[in-house]
Amino acid sequence: MKVYNWQLNREMDYKYQEIHPQKQVTWVFDTNKCIACQTCTMACKNAWTSGKGQEYMFWNNVESKPWGFYPLGWDVKLLEKLGPQPWNGDKYAGKTIFEGAQYGEEILGYAPDENDYSHPNLGEDEVNQQVKEKEYITIPHQPWMFYLQRICNHCSYPACLGACPRKAIYKRKEDGIVLIDQKRCRGYQECVRACPYKKSMFRTNTGKSEKCISCFPAVEQGKQTQCVQNCIGKIRLFGFKSNWNEPRGNNPIDYLVHIKKIALPLYPQFGTQPNVYYIPPIHVPEAFNRQLFGPGAKNAVEQYKKAYEDLNLTGLLMLFGSTDQIISSFKVEGDINNGYCAGYDDKGNELIKVPLKEPIIIREEYDEQRNVRRFNVT
């Protein structure tokens, strides 16, 4: 069937008809603030994949680009299979994984080897090239790397759903969360082969496939997901996105994705219309960002660099990690020095209020109350 993919700015082939949920769960990750502490990874691991047969599973992982992968080579292998991925302006002129499948297959993909999952920290903190003698950091960086946070994208056109012969995978109409019905799953692993992000995983001792469930018990209670709540760097925001042609200006996700267009999908050329969005790293070559995040990457970097000129954007960036509740709307008042951004739930109740500019507090060298010095004076 033909469906419209707004991230590609064109129609494309997909197995099922185009149906939109009532609202769509969406994440925004700011790659520029991530410190790769892996707290998100451990929070997800402890909550959902601490059982037998799940030892290798990381529904959430943070990998260092350009050399980090989980599983090994998950993206470069598929990019090579997909072939050239040209863009004509903001319209994708190449083939998606649904259009580039080989004869006898419905979806272009591959099944990782067992050993591909053995080194989730491969390439951690490794820069793109060897640091030369007497070289020092400049802007833009010569050697560079950045941290890429990855979870299931709960895609609008899920490859896993399209590939499952048992129709065990479904997308919830109330919030767009993609789940696997464990009663229907027979462990054929077609979802593992088809998912371009390799976030559907097979559990050997149950013979079933499993994946991120968007912490739906918490989401149903108005809470953000575990990976968002536990993020030390405050790089994550979770909420619900409106349809691409009906954005709400006071919806944090809509503002970042549809209005400001500073948050972009990962590998939109795959065609799944993923619902995890990234603010691209500002110190990475434009060509690399473009390959990962599409033709809007350059504009997103420029917007981020001058975020202080847009009080709404400044306020939203300050809202990241400020509350464990789902923020449905926001409002900014005041100026950059004395203003604030307030976040509200879906009933209009105020959840949080943060300053547009964090105060600078300089502590005295000597603490009279505790009779100690805060700095080394020896």
Side-chain angles (χ1 to χ4, degrees), residues 81-101:
K81 281 177 170 287
L82 193 57
Q85 299 134 51
W87 293 81
N88 291 333
D90 61 353
K91 184 176 182 179
Y92 182 57
K95 293 183 178 181
T96 68
I97 61 172
F98 307 112
E99 300 162 337

Side-chain angles (χ1 to χ4, degrees), residues 61-169:
N61 73 287
V62 180
E63 57 197 49
S64 299
K65 287 299 184 186
W67 306 121
F69 311 94
Y70 174 76
L72 181 64
W74 68 271
D75 54 352
V76 294
K77 290 179 181 178
L78 187 57
L79 290 170
E80 186 175 5
K81 281 177 170 287
L82 193 57
Q85 299 134 51
W87 293 81
N88 291 333
D90 61 353
K91 184 176 182 179
Y92 182 57
K95 293 183 178 181
T96 68
I97 61 172
F98 307 112
E99 300 162 337
Q102 300 173 353
Y103 179 77
E105 295 182 352
E106 290 186 325
I107 301 172
L108 181 67
Y110 79 97
D113 294 331
E114 182 178 345
N115 290 335
D116 290 346
Y117 294 96
S118 299
H119 307 282
N121 285 68
L122 182 72
E124 188 165 40
D125 294 337
E126 290 187 13
V127 294
N128 66 309
Q129 62 185 23
Q130 186 174 358
V131 179
K132 300 175 183 177
E133 186 178 357
K134 297 182 180 181
E135 195 167 48
Y136 59 92
I137 293 177
T138 62
I139 300 297
H141 294 184
Q142 313 99 328
W144 57 266
M145 50 78 63
F146 74 98
Y147 302 122
L148 184 67
Q149 313 78 32
R150 297 209 307 112
I151 61 173
C152 168
N153 288 277
H154 294 271
C155 305
S156 295
Y157 304 115
C160 59
L161 188 157
C164 181
R166 288 281 301 169
K167 296 185 178 181
I169 302 178

Side-chain angles (χ1 to χ4, degrees), residues 35 49 63 122 146 150 176 185 295 301 322 339 349 364 372:
I35 59 174
T49 59
E63 57 197 49
L122 182 72
F146 74 98
R150 297 209 307 112
C185 179
V301 168
S322 63
N349 300 313
E364 294 292 335
V372 296

Side-chain angles (χ1 to χ4, degrees), residues 328-377:
S328 296
S329 62
F330 75 100
K331 180 178 67 174
V332 171
E333 292 189 357
D335 57 29
I336 189 68
N337 292 311
N338 302 301
Y340 66 86
C341 180
Y344 305 89
D345 64 16
D346 56 359
K347 297 179 180 179
N349 300 313
E350 184 178 299
L351 298 173
I352 191 70
K353 182 183 289 185
V354 296
L356 297 182
K357 185 176 181 180
E358 289 188 349
I360 298 175
I361 300 175
I362 300 177
R363 298 194 299 175
E364 294 292 335
E365 180 270 336
Y366 178 71
D367 186 336
E368 294 184 357
Q369 181 180 355
R370 297 174 178 79
N371 190 28
V372 296
R373 297 187 181 275
R374 293 194 174 99
F375 302 101
N376 189 343
V377 295

Side-chain angles (χ1 to χ4, degrees), residues 2-6 9-12 18 157 244 273:
K2 292 293 183 181
V3 297
Y4 184 74
N5 187 323
W6 70 268
N9 197 24
R10 69 168 174 85
E11 286 189 332
M12 67 169 199
E18 181 178 350
Y157 304 115
W244 67 274
Q273 198 170 296

Side-chain angles (χ1 to χ4, degrees), residues 222-345:
K223 301 282 188 179
Q224 300 193 57
T225 58
Q226 283 290 309
C227 62
V228 177
Q229 289 190 40
N230 288 278
C231 177
I232 291 176
K234 296 184 177 182
I235 81 154
R236 301 184 179 219
L237 183 69
F238 171 84
F240 298 103
K241 184 178 71 64
S242 305
N243 199 17
W244 67 274
N245 57 353
E246 300 175 325
R248 287 193 297 112
N250 66 344
N251 179 336
I253 303 296
D254 285 354
Y255 191 85
L256 295 168
V257 174
H258 292 312
I259 297 175
K260 200 67 177 179
K261 298 181 180 179
I262 194 174
L264 306 173
L266 177 63
Y267 292 122
Q269 61 265 42
F270 289 160
T272 62
Q273 198 170 296
N275 290 301
V276 176
Y277 294 83
Y278 296 82
I279 299 177
I282 63 175
H283 64 286
V284 169
E286 180 187 341
F288 195 85
N289 270 342
R290 180 183 173 89
Q291 183 186 50
L292 265 69
F293 306 112
K298 182 179 181 180
N299 176 67
V301 168
E302 292 174 350
Q303 294 295 330
Y304 189 81
K305 287 181 177 180
K306 55 182 181 181
Y308 59 88
E309 297 179 0
D310 183 338
L311 296 186
N312 285 328
L313 178 55
T314 300
L316 285 179
L317 293 175
M318 296 297 288
L319 276 183
F320 278 48
S322 63
T323 175
D324 62 354
Q325 305 288 320
I326 296 175
I327 301 174
S328 296
S329 62
F330 75 100
K331 180 178 67 174
V332 171
E333 292 189 357
D335 57 29
I336 189 68
N337 292 311
N338 302 301
Y340 66 86
C341 180
Y344 305 89
D345 64 16

